[in-house]
Amino acid sequence: MRKISIITITYNAEKFLERTIQSILAQTCQDFEYIIVDGKSKDGTLAIAQKYQERINILVSEPDKGLYDAMNKGQQLANGDFVWFMNAGDEINDIHAVEQIYQQIDDDTDVLYGDSYFVDDLGNIQGLRSEVTPHRLPHHLTWQDMNLGMLVCHQAFIASKRVAPLYWQENLSADIDWEIECLKKAKGIVLLNFVVAKYLTGGISNKQLKRSLIDRYKVLQKHFGVLGAIGSHLLILVRGVFLMLRKGGKYW
């Protein structure tokens, strides 16, 4: 059986990390590798991770150059055939998820993807991503479907290491680029028919929105060309305005 490495990136996340760890260790199938990469947290994050050290295969705590540097470290440490990032504050939604994912993997499988819930700081569900955003999940996902941005939540995207590149470390939209690169190389792409993850809102791209938008343009330009990137961003803008008007000023 091809194995999964689940990777958690964390930094000063003592409020959120434990629920992430517990959602992973509660899985009915524990036949996976679990890796935590901590950026030398200054709060109680590392102590929380160390509580579960017997069930964590690799625990690293050292300074890094940011989120995607840490994710690259985690991916390079992974011994499994697949990598699945479940960062601090995020959760696997269902205790049977790993078991169900293994049932969908064959020799040709390179990507598995599904839906996710948005959750707030307390872990309360705010909505299903495919319902409260314009991102509808296609039954047959291709890299061209990513022309309007992050179609699949990163926490609900599992990729084989044979197609997964390292992250574009300096780009705040590196997760979009990573998913596109995986999909371009993937042989078998599988839609999971259950909600895969709970995603904690308010990540780095939301906190540095202006730079994130510029970086997203760079990613789309890389894959779709200048005209394609400009056209995509015009559509994203129109769609976002329409959705906010419809929802009374709130994007999701």
Side-chain angles (χ1 to χ4, degrees):
M1 184 188 291
R2 297 168 65 197
K3 300 296 176 69
I4 297 172
S5 292
I6 302 175
I7 304 167
T8 296
I9 306 303
T10 184
Y11 179 69
N12 289 348
E14 63 181 3
K15 291 196 302 183
F16 310 120
L17 179 60
E18 192 152 32
R19 73 179 191 227
T20 301
I21 294 173
Q22 289 177 349
S23 79
I24 293 165
L25 299 184
Q27 290 296 301
T28 54
C29 174
Q30 288 287 306
D31 192 11
F32 56 81
E33 178 182 53
Y34 188 31
I35 299 169
I36 295 181
V37 179
D38 173 58
K40 204 67 175 176
S41 291
K42 297 176 175 62
D43 61 1
T45 297
L46 183 59
I48 291 169
Q50 289 171 333
K51 280 173 53 179
Y52 300 91
Q53 193 151 18
E54 289 187 2
R55 299 183 67 186
I56 298 168
N57 299 96
I58 299 173
L59 173 58
V60 176
S61 182
E62 62 186 22
D64 56 53
K65 298 174 184 175
L67 174 64
Y68 293 114
D69 178 39
M71 291 174 78
N72 281 338
K73 286 181 185 180
Q75 186 167 302
Q76 289 172 313
L77 287 168
N79 297 298
D81 303 288
F82 290 83
V83 289
W84 183 8
F85 286 92
M86 195 61 55
N87 293 339
D90 304 321
E91 301 167 68
I92 300 176
N93 181 58
D94 190 285
I95 62 170
H96 303 288
V98 171
E99 182 180 347
Q100 291 176 293
I101 288 166
Y102 277 137
Q103 291 170 1
Q104 298 294 316
I105 293 174
D106 62 29
D107 289 343
D108 291 333
T109 305
D110 284 317
V111 169
L112 304 102
Y113 69 100
D115 214 337
S116 55
Y117 289 119
F118 285 129
V119 299
D120 62 17
D121 285 358
L122 298 176
N124 299 314
I125 292 174
Q126 304 296 294
L128 187 64
R129 190 172 188 269
S130 65
E131 294 178 353
V132 298
T133 74
H135 300 298
R136 302 292 181 262
L137 288 179
H139 287 285
H140 303 286
L141 180 67
T142 70
W143 71 268
Q144 291 94 338
D145 292 322
M146 305 287 284
N147 67 319
L148 296 182
M150 198 74 179
L151 186 63
V152 182
C153 181
H154 197 281
Q155 290 76 3
F157 190 100
I158 301 127
S160 71
K161 285 187 70 178
R162 66 189 180 194
V163 302
L166 292 179
Y167 288 85
W168 185 351
Q169 190 172 304
E170 302 78 22
N171 190 300
L172 292 186
S173 292
D175 47 1
I176 304 174
D177 178 66
W178 188 84
E179 287 192 8
I180 292 174
E181 292 284 5
C182 290
L183 291 168
K184 280 184 171 182
K185 299 173 190 171
K187 188 182 293 184
I189 301 171
V190 176
L191 171 63
L192 299 169
N193 62 354
F194 57 91
V195 179
V196 176
K198 295 176 182 176
Y199 164 62
L200 177 63
T201 58
I204 187 170
S205 59
N206 287 337
K207 293 173 183 174
Q208 300 183 45
L209 187 58
K210 182 178 178 181
R211 183 184 155 194
S212 177
L213 293 174
I214 293 170
D215 283 353
R216 184 179 65 189
Y217 174 83
K218 291 177 182 177
V219 170
L220 296 185
Q221 181 183 353
K222 171 184 171 182
H223 295 285
F224 298 99
V226 174
L227 292 179
I230 292 171
S232 292
H233 277 82
L234 288 173
L235 286 172
I236 291 168
L237 177 63
V238 170
R239 186 183 66 181
V241 170
F242 175 76
L243 189 66
M244 282 193 289
L245 289 173
R246 219 177 76 186
K247 292 182 176 289
K250 191 173 183 180
Y251 182 69
W252 55 268

Short mmCIF file of all heavy atoms in Angstrom, two decimals, residues 49-104:
data_model
loop_
_atom_site.label_atom_id
_atom_site.label_comp_id
_atom_site.label_asym_id
_atom_site.label_seq_id
_atom_site.Cartn_x
_atom_site.Cartn_y
_atom_site.Cartn_z
N ALA A 49 2.88 20.00 21.31
CA ALA A 49 3.31 18.94 20.40
C ALA A 49 4.02 17.82 21.16
O ALA A 49 3.80 16.63 20.89
CB ALA A 49 4.23 19.52 19.33
N GLN A 50 4.84 18.19 22.12
CA GLN A 50 5.62 17.19 22.87
C GLN A 50 4.74 16.29 23.73
O GLN A 50 5.13 15.16 24.04
CB GLN A 50 6.68 17.89 23.72
CG GLN A 50 7.82 18.47 22.88
CD GLN A 50 8.76 19.35 23.67
OE1 GLN A 50 8.38 19.95 24.69
NE2 GLN A 50 10.01 19.45 23.23
N LYS A 51 3.54 16.76 24.09
CA LYS A 51 2.58 15.91 24.81
C LYS A 51 2.25 14.65 24.02
O LYS A 51 1.94 13.60 24.58
CB LYS A 51 1.28 16.68 25.10
CG LYS A 51 1.33 17.62 26.26
CD LYS A 51 0.05 18.45 26.35
CE LYS A 51 -1.21 17.61 26.36
NZ LYS A 51 -2.44 18.45 26.46
N TYR A 52 2.28 14.78 22.68
CA TYR A 52 1.88 13.68 21.80
C TYR A 52 3.08 13.06 21.09
O TYR A 52 2.92 12.36 20.09
CB TYR A 52 0.89 14.20 20.76
CG TYR A 52 -0.38 14.78 21.36
CD1 TYR A 52 -0.47 16.13 21.67
CD2 TYR A 52 -1.48 13.96 21.63
CE1 TYR A 52 -1.63 16.66 22.22
CE2 TYR A 52 -2.64 14.48 22.19
CZ TYR A 52 -2.71 15.84 22.49
OH TYR A 52 -3.86 16.35 23.03
N GLN A 53 4.27 13.28 21.61
CA GLN A 53 5.50 12.90 20.91
C GLN A 53 5.57 11.42 20.57
O GLN A 53 6.12 11.03 19.53
CB GLN A 53 6.72 13.31 21.72
CG GLN A 53 8.03 13.25 20.93
CD GLN A 53 9.05 14.25 21.43
OE1 GLN A 53 8.93 14.75 22.54
NE2 GLN A 53 10.03 14.56 20.62
N GLU A 54 5.00 10.58 21.42
CA GLU A 54 5.04 9.13 21.17
C GLU A 54 4.29 8.75 19.90
O GLU A 54 4.56 7.69 19.32
CB GLU A 54 4.47 8.36 22.37
CG GLU A 54 5.38 8.39 23.59
CD GLU A 54 4.87 7.49 24.69
OE1 GLU A 54 3.83 6.83 24.48
OE2 GLU A 54 5.50 7.46 25.77
N ARG A 55 3.36 9.60 19.50
CA ARG A 55 2.56 9.28 18.30
C ARG A 55 2.92 10.16 17.11
O ARG A 55 2.25 10.11 16.08
CB ARG A 55 1.07 9.40 18.65
CG ARG A 55 0.66 8.43 19.76
CD ARG A 55 -0.81 8.50 20.05
NE ARG A 55 -1.61 8.02 18.94
CZ ARG A 55 -2.95 8.08 18.91
NH1 ARG A 55 -3.60 8.62 19.94
NH2 ARG A 55 -3.62 7.64 17.87
N ILE A 56 3.94 10.96 17.26
CA ILE A 56 4.44 11.79 16.16
C ILE A 56 5.74 11.17 15.66
O ILE A 56 6.66 10.92 16.42
CB ILE A 56 4.69 13.24 16.64
CG1 ILE A 56 3.37 13.87 17.12
CG2 ILE A 56 5.31 14.09 15.53
CD1 ILE A 56 3.56 15.18 17.87
N ASN A 57 5.80 10.91 14.37
CA ASN A 57 6.98 10.24 13.81
C ASN A 57 8.20 11.17 13.74
O ASN A 57 9.32 10.76 14.00
CB ASN A 57 6.67 9.69 12.42
CG ASN A 57 5.56 8.68 12.44
OD1 ASN A 57 4.40 9.01 12.20
ND2 ASN A 57 5.89 7.44 12.75
N ILE A 58 7.95 12.42 13.35
CA ILE A 58 9.04 13.40 13.25
C ILE A 58 8.54 14.72 13.82
O ILE A 58 7.49 15.22 13.42
CB ILE A 58 9.47 13.61 11.78
CG1 ILE A 58 9.98 12.30 11.17
CG2 ILE A 58 10.56 14.69 11.69
CD1 ILE A 58 10.27 12.38 9.67
N LEU A 59 9.30 15.27 14.77
CA LEU A 59 8.98 16.58 15.36
C LEU A 59 10.22 17.44 15.27
O LEU A 59 11.26 17.12 15.85
CB LEU A 59 8.53 16.42 16.81
CG LEU A 59 8.32 17.71 17.61
CD1 LEU A 59 7.28 18.61 16.95
CD2 LEU A 59 7.91 17.39 19.05
N VAL A 60 10.11 18.55 14.53
CA VAL A 60 11.23 19.47 14.33
C VAL A 60 10.81 20.84 14.83
O VAL A 60 9.70 21.31 14.55
CB VAL A 60 11.60 19.57 12.82
CG1 VAL A 60 12.69 20.60 12.61
CG2 VAL A 60 12.05 18.21 12.30
N SER A 61 11.68 21.50 15.56
CA SER A 61 11.43 22.88 15.99
C SER A 61 12.70 23.69 15.76
O SER A 61 13.70 23.52 16.46
CB SER A 61 11.04 22.92 17.47
OG SER A 61 10.75 24.26 17.86
N GLU A 62 12.67 24.54 14.76
CA GLU A 62 13.82 25.36 14.40
C GLU A 62 13.34 26.57 13.61
O GLU A 62 12.26 26.54 13.01
CB GLU A 62 14.82 24.55 13.57
CG GLU A 62 14.24 24.05 12.24
CD GLU A 62 15.19 23.12 11.50
OE1 GLU A 62 16.08 22.54 12.15
OE2 GLU A 62 15.04 22.99 10.27
N PRO A 63 14.11 27.65 13.59
CA PRO A 63 13.70 28.83 12.82
C PRO A 63 13.56 28.50 11.34
O PRO A 63 14.27 27.63 10.81
CB PRO A 63 14.85 29.83 13.06
CG PRO A 63 15.53 29.35 14.29
CD PRO A 63 15.39 27.86 14.30
N ASP A 64 12.65 29.19 10.69
CA ASP A 64 12.49 29.03 9.24
C ASP A 64 12.32 30.39 8.59
O ASP A 64 12.29 31.42 9.27
CB ASP A 64 11.32 28.10 8.92
CG ASP A 64 10.01 28.57 9.52
OD1 ASP A 64 9.64 29.74 9.30
OD2 ASP A 64 9.34 27.78 10.22
N LYS A 65 12.20 30.39 7.28
CA LYS A 65 12.08 31.63 6.52
C LYS A 65 10.63 31.93 6.13
O LYS A 65 10.38 32.71 5.22
CB LYS A 65 12.95 31.56 5.26
CG LYS A 65 14.43 31.41 5.58
CD LYS A 65 15.23 31.21 4.30
CE LYS A 65 16.70 30.95 4.62
NZ LYS A 65 17.49 30.63 3.39
N GLY A 66 9.69 31.32 6.84
CA GLY A 66 8.29 31.57 6.54
C GLY A 66 7.55 30.27 6.27
O GLY A 66 8.12 29.17 6.28
N LEU A 67 6.26 30.41 6.02
CA LEU A 67 5.36 29.26 5.87
C LEU A 67 5.84 28.27 4.83
O LEU A 67 5.91 27.06 5.08
CB LEU A 67 3.95 29.76 5.52
CG LEU A 67 2.91 28.68 5.19
CD1 LEU A 67 2.66 27.80 6.41
CD2 LEU A 67 1.62 29.32 4.71
N TYR A 68 6.16 28.77 3.64
CA TYR A 68 6.47 27.83 2.55
C TYR A 68 7.86 27.22 2.68
O TYR A 68 8.10 26.13 2.16
CB TYR A 68 6.24 28.50 1.20
CG TYR A 68 4.76 28.80 0.99
CD1 TYR A 68 4.29 30.10 0.92
CD2 TYR A 68 3.84 27.76 0.90
CE1 TYR A 68 2.93 30.36 0.76
CE2 TYR A 68 2.50 28.00 0.75
CZ TYR A 68 2.04 29.31 0.68
OH TYR A 68 0.70 29.56 0.53
N ASP A 69 8.77 27.89 3.36
CA ASP A 69 10.04 27.26 3.70
C ASP A 69 9.78 26.09 4.64
O ASP A 69 10.35 25.00 4.47
CB ASP A 69 10.96 28.30 4.36
CG ASP A 69 12.30 27.70 4.80
OD1 ASP A 69 12.84 26.86 4.07
OD2 ASP A 69 12.79 28.07 5.89
N ALA A 70 8.92 26.30 5.63
CA ALA A 70 8.58 25.23 6.57
C ALA A 70 7.86 24.08 5.86
O ALA A 70 8.11 22.89 6.15
CB ALA A 70 7.71 25.77 7.70
N MET A 71 6.98 24.40 4.92
CA MET A 71 6.28 23.34 4.19
C MET A 71 7.24 22.55 3.31
O MET A 71 7.11 21.33 3.18
CB MET A 71 5.12 23.95 3.39
CG MET A 71 4.01 24.46 4.29
SD MET A 71 2.66 25.33 3.48
CE MET A 71 1.72 23.98 2.78
N ASN A 72 8.22 23.23 2.74
CA ASN A 72 9.25 22.52 1.98
C ASN A 72 10.03 21.58 2.88
O ASN A 72 10.34 20.45 2.50
CB ASN A 72 10.20 23.52 1.31
CG ASN A 72 9.61 24.13 0.04
OD1 ASN A 72 8.71 23.56 -0.57
ND2 ASN A 72 10.12 25.28 -0.34
N LYS A 73 10.34 22.04 4.10
CA LYS A 73 11.04 21.17 5.05
C LYS A 73 10.20 19.92 5.34
O LYS A 73 10.71 18.79 5.35
CB LYS A 73 11.30 21.91 6.36
CG LYS A 73 12.41 22.94 6.30
CD LYS A 73 12.60 23.58 7.68
CE LYS A 73 13.61 24.70 7.65
NZ LYS A 73 13.78 25.32 8.99
N GLY A 74 8.93 20.14 5.60
CA GLY A 74 8.05 19.01 5.90
C GLY A 74 7.97 18.02 4.76
O GLY A 74 8.03 16.80 4.96
N GLN A 75 7.85 18.55 3.54
CA GLN A 75 7.76 17.67 2.38
C GLN A 75 9.06 16.89 2.17
O GLN A 75 9.03 15.70 1.82
CB GLN A 75 7.44 18.52 1.13
CG GLN A 75 7.18 17.68 -0.12
CD GLN A 75 6.56 18.51 -1.23
OE1 GLN A 75 5.50 19.09 -1.06
NE2 GLN A 75 7.22 18.55 -2.36
N GLN A 76 10.19 17.54 2.41
CA GLN A 76 11.47 16.85 2.24
C GLN A 76 11.71 15.81 3.32
O GLN A 76 12.42 14.82 3.09
CB GLN A 76 12.60 17.88 2.22
CG GLN A 76 12.60 18.73 0.94
CD GLN A 76 13.59 19.89 0.99
OE1 GLN A 76 13.65 20.62 1.99
NE2 GLN A 76 14.38 20.05 -0.06
N LEU A 77 11.13 16.01 4.50
CA LEU A 77 11.26 15.03 5.58
C LEU A 77 10.35 13.82 5.37
O LEU A 77 10.60 12.75 5.94
CB LEU A 77 10.91 15.68 6.92
CG LEU A 77 11.93 16.66 7.51
CD1 LEU A 77 11.32 17.43 8.67
CD2 LEU A 77 13.18 15.92 7.97
N ALA A 78 9.30 13.97 4.58
CA ALA A 78 8.27 12.94 4.46
C ALA A 78 8.81 11.67 3.81
O ALA A 78 9.48 11.72 2.77
CB ALA A 78 7.09 13.48 3.64
N ASN A 79 8.50 10.56 4.42
CA ASN A 79 8.88 9.25 3.89
C ASN A 79 7.73 8.56 3.17
O ASN A 79 7.93 7.52 2.54
CB ASN A 79 9.36 8.35 5.03
CG ASN A 79 10.61 8.89 5.69
OD1 ASN A 79 11.65 9.03 5.06
ND2 ASN A 79 10.52 9.23 6.98
N GLY A 80 6.52 9.12 3.28
CA GLY A 80 5.36 8.51 2.63
C GLY A 80 5.34 8.76 1.14
O GLY A 80 6.13 9.55 0.59
N ASP A 81 4.41 8.09 0.47
CA ASP A 81 4.24 8.26 -0.97
C ASP A 81 3.39 9.48 -1.31
O ASP A 81 3.47 10.01 -2.42
CB ASP A 81 3.58 7.01 -1.57
CG ASP A 81 4.37 5.76 -1.26
OD1 ASP A 81 5.45 5.58 -1.84
OD2 ASP A 81 3.92 4.95 -0.41
N PHE A 82 2.54 9.90 -0.34
CA PHE A 82 1.68 11.06 -0.52
C PHE A 82 1.95 12.07 0.60
O PHE A 82 2.30 11.67 1.72
CB PHE A 82 0.19 10.67 -0.46
CG PHE A 82 -0.29 9.89 -1.64
CD1 PHE A 82 -0.10 8.51 -1.70
CD2 PHE A 82 -0.93 10.51 -2.69
CE1 PHE A 82 -0.54 7.78 -2.79
CE2 PHE A 82 -1.39 9.79 -3.78
CZ PHE A 82 -1.18 8.43 -3.83
N VAL A 83 1.77 13.35 0.30
CA VAL A 83 1.85 14.38 1.33
C VAL A 83 0.50 15.06 1.47
O VAL A 83 -0.19 15.34 0.47
CB VAL A 83 2.96 15.42 1.03
CG1 VAL A 83 4.33 14.79 1.21
CG2 VAL A 83 2.82 16.01 -0.37
N TRP A 84 0.15 15.33 2.73
CA TRP A 84 -1.14 15.96 3.04
C TRP A 84 -0.87 16.97 4.16
O TRP A 84 -0.51 16.60 5.26
CB TRP A 84 -2.13 14.89 3.50
CG TRP A 84 -3.52 15.37 3.78
CD1 TRP A 84 -4.04 16.61 3.54
CD2 TRP A 84 -4.57 14.59 4.37
NE1 TRP A 84 -5.35 16.67 3.93
CE2 TRP A 84 -5.70 15.44 4.44
CE3 TRP A 84 -4.66 13.29 4.83
CZ2 TRP A 84 -6.91 15.01 4.97
CZ3 TRP A 84 -5.86 12.85 5.36
CH2 TRP A 84 -6.98 13.70 5.41
N PHE A 85 -1.03 18.26 3.84
CA PHE A 85 -0.74 19.32 4.80
C PHE A 85 -2.00 19.65 5.60
O PHE A 85 -3.03 20.02 5.03
CB PHE A 85 -0.22 20.56 4.09
CG PHE A 85 1.20 20.41 3.61
CD1 PHE A 85 1.47 19.95 2.33
CD2 PHE A 85 2.27 20.71 4.45
CE1 PHE A 85 2.78 19.78 1.90
CE2 PHE A 85 3.58 20.55 4.02
CZ PHE A 85 3.84 20.09 2.74
N MET A 86 -1.87 19.52 6.91
CA MET A 86 -2.96 19.85 7.82
C MET A 86 -2.33 20.75 8.89
O MET A 86 -1.84 20.30 9.92
CB MET A 86 -3.54 18.57 8.44
CG MET A 86 -4.87 18.74 9.11
SD MET A 86 -6.21 19.29 8.02
CE MET A 86 -6.14 18.04 6.73
N ASN A 87 -2.31 22.06 8.61
CA ASN A 87 -1.55 22.98 9.45
C ASN A 87 -2.29 23.36 10.72
O ASN A 87 -3.48 23.08 10.88
CB ASN A 87 -1.17 24.21 8.63
CG ASN A 87 -0.18 23.86 7.52
OD1 ASN A 87 0.51 22.85 7.57
ND2 ASN A 87 -0.12 24.70 6.50
N ALA A 88 -1.58 24.01 11.65
CA ALA A 88 -2.14 24.32 12.96
C ALA A 88 -3.46 25.10 12.83
O ALA A 88 -3.52 26.13 12.16
CB ALA A 88 -1.14 25.13 13.78
N GLY A 89 -4.50 24.59 13.45
CA GLY A 89 -5.83 25.20 13.38
C GLY A 89 -6.75 24.48 12.41
O GLY A 89 -7.97 24.61 12.50
N ASP A 90 -6.17 23.75 11.47
CA ASP A 90 -6.96 22.97 10.53
C ASP A 90 -7.22 21.59 11.12
O ASP A 90 -6.51 21.13 12.01
CB ASP A 90 -6.22 22.83 9.18
CG ASP A 90 -5.86 24.18 8.59
OD1 ASP A 90 -6.69 25.11 8.69
OD2 ASP A 90 -4.76 24.31 8.03
N GLU A 91 -8.25 20.91 10.60
CA GLU A 91 -8.58 19.59 11.12
C GLU A 91 -9.01 18.66 10.01
O GLU A 91 -9.60 19.10 9.01
CB GLU A 91 -9.74 19.69 12.12
CG GLU A 91 -9.50 20.57 13.33
CD GLU A 91 -10.79 20.86 14.06
OE1 GLU A 91 -11.36 19.91 14.65
OE2 GLU A 91 -11.24 22.02 14.04
N ILE A 92 -8.74 17.38 10.18
CA ILE A 92 -9.38 16.38 9.33
C ILE A 92 -10.83 16.29 9.78
O ILE A 92 -11.11 16.17 10.98
CB ILE A 92 -8.68 15.01 9.43
CG1 ILE A 92 -7.21 15.14 8.99
CG2 ILE A 92 -9.41 13.98 8.58
CD1 ILE A 92 -6.41 13.85 9.14
N ASN A 93 -11.75 16.35 8.86
CA ASN A 93 -13.16 16.50 9.23
C ASN A 93 -13.78 15.22 9.78
O ASN A 93 -14.62 15.28 10.66
CB ASN A 93 -13.97 16.98 8.03
CG ASN A 93 -15.42 17.18 8.36
OD1 ASN A 93 -15.77 17.95 9.26
ND2 ASN A 93 -16.30 16.46 7.66
N ASP A 94 -13.38 14.07 9.26
CA ASP A 94 -14.05 12.82 9.59
C ASP A 94 -13.04 11.80 10.10
O ASP A 94 -11.94 11.68 9.54
CB ASP A 94 -14.76 12.26 8.34
CG ASP A 94 -15.68 11.10 8.66
OD1 ASP A 94 -15.15 10.00 8.90
OD2 ASP A 94 -16.91 11.29 8.66
N ILE A 95 -13.37 11.06 11.13
CA ILE A 95 -12.43 10.11 11.69
C ILE A 95 -12.12 8.95 10.74
O ILE A 95 -11.13 8.23 10.93
CB ILE A 95 -12.92 9.54 13.04
CG1 ILE A 95 -14.24 8.77 12.87
CG2 ILE A 95 -13.04 10.64 14.08
CD1 ILE A 95 -14.65 8.01 14.13
N HIS A 96 -12.95 8.76 9.72
CA HIS A 96 -12.73 7.68 8.75
C HIS A 96 -12.01 8.17 7.50
O HIS A 96 -11.84 7.39 6.55
CB HIS A 96 -14.08 7.07 8.34
CG HIS A 96 -14.89 6.55 9.48
ND1 HIS A 96 -14.55 5.41 10.17
CD2 HIS A 96 -16.01 7.03 10.07
CE1 HIS A 96 -15.44 5.19 11.13
NE2 HIS A 96 -16.33 6.16 11.10
N ALA A 97 -11.55 9.43 7.47
CA ALA A 97 -11.00 10.02 6.24
C ALA A 97 -9.81 9.26 5.69
O ALA A 97 -9.75 8.92 4.51
CB ALA A 97 -10.64 11.49 6.48
N VAL A 98 -8.82 8.97 6.53
CA VAL A 98 -7.63 8.27 6.06
C VAL A 98 -8.00 6.90 5.50
O VAL A 98 -7.54 6.49 4.43
CB VAL A 98 -6.58 8.14 7.19
CG1 VAL A 98 -5.44 7.22 6.76
CG2 VAL A 98 -6.03 9.52 7.55
N GLU A 99 -8.86 6.21 6.22
CA GLU A 99 -9.32 4.89 5.77
C GLU A 99 -9.99 4.99 4.39
O GLU A 99 -9.71 4.19 3.49
CB GLU A 99 -10.31 4.35 6.80
CG GLU A 99 -10.85 2.97 6.52
CD GLU A 99 -11.83 2.52 7.61
OE1 GLU A 99 -11.89 3.17 8.67
OE2 GLU A 99 -12.52 1.53 7.38
N GLN A 100 -10.85 5.99 4.21
CA GLN A 100 -11.55 6.16 2.94
C GLN A 100 -10.60 6.58 1.82
O GLN A 100 -10.77 6.16 0.67
CB GLN A 100 -12.67 7.19 3.10
CG GLN A 100 -13.81 6.71 3.97
CD GLN A 100 -14.85 7.80 4.21
OE1 GLN A 100 -14.59 8.80 4.87
NE2 GLN A 100 -16.02 7.61 3.65
N ILE A 101 -9.61 7.39 2.15
CA ILE A 101 -8.64 7.81 1.14
C ILE A 101 -7.85 6.61 0.63
O ILE A 101 -7.66 6.45 -0.58
CB ILE A 101 -7.70 8.89 1.72
CG1 ILE A 101 -8.47 10.22 1.88
CG2 ILE A 101 -6.48 9.11 0.82
CD1 ILE A 101 -7.76 11.24 2.73
N TYR A 102 -7.41 5.75 1.54
CA TYR A 102 -6.65 4.57 1.11
C TYR A 102 -7.47 3.68 0.16
O TYR A 102 -6.93 3.06 -0.75
CB TYR A 102 -6.19 3.76 2.32
CG TYR A 102 -4.92 4.28 2.95
CD1 TYR A 102 -4.78 4.37 4.33
CD2 TYR A 102 -3.83 4.67 2.17
CE1 TYR A 102 -3.62 4.84 4.91
CE2 TYR A 102 -2.65 5.13 2.74
CZ TYR A 102 -2.55 5.23 4.11
OH TYR A 102 -1.38 5.69 4.67
N GLN A 103 -8.77 3.65 0.39
CA GLN A 103 -9.63 2.83 -0.48
C GLN A 103 -9.70 3.37 -1.91
O GLN A 103 -10.06 2.63 -2.84
CB GLN A 103 -11.04 2.76 0.12
CG GLN A 103 -11.12 1.96 1.41
CD GLN A 103 -12.46 2.11 2.11
OE1 GLN A 103 -13.37 2.80 1.65
NE2 GLN A 103 -12.59 1.47 3.27
N GLN A 104 -9.35 4.64 -2.09
CA GLN A 104 -9.44 5.29 -3.40
C GLN A 104 -8.12 5.28 -4.16
O GLN A 104 -8.06 5.68 -5.32
CB GLN A 104 -9.90 6.74 -3.24
CG GLN A 104 -11.27 6.92 -2.63
CD GLN A 104 -12.37 6.38 -3.54
OE1 GLN A 104 -12.36 6.61 -4.74
NE2 GLN A 104 -13.32 5.65 -2.95
#
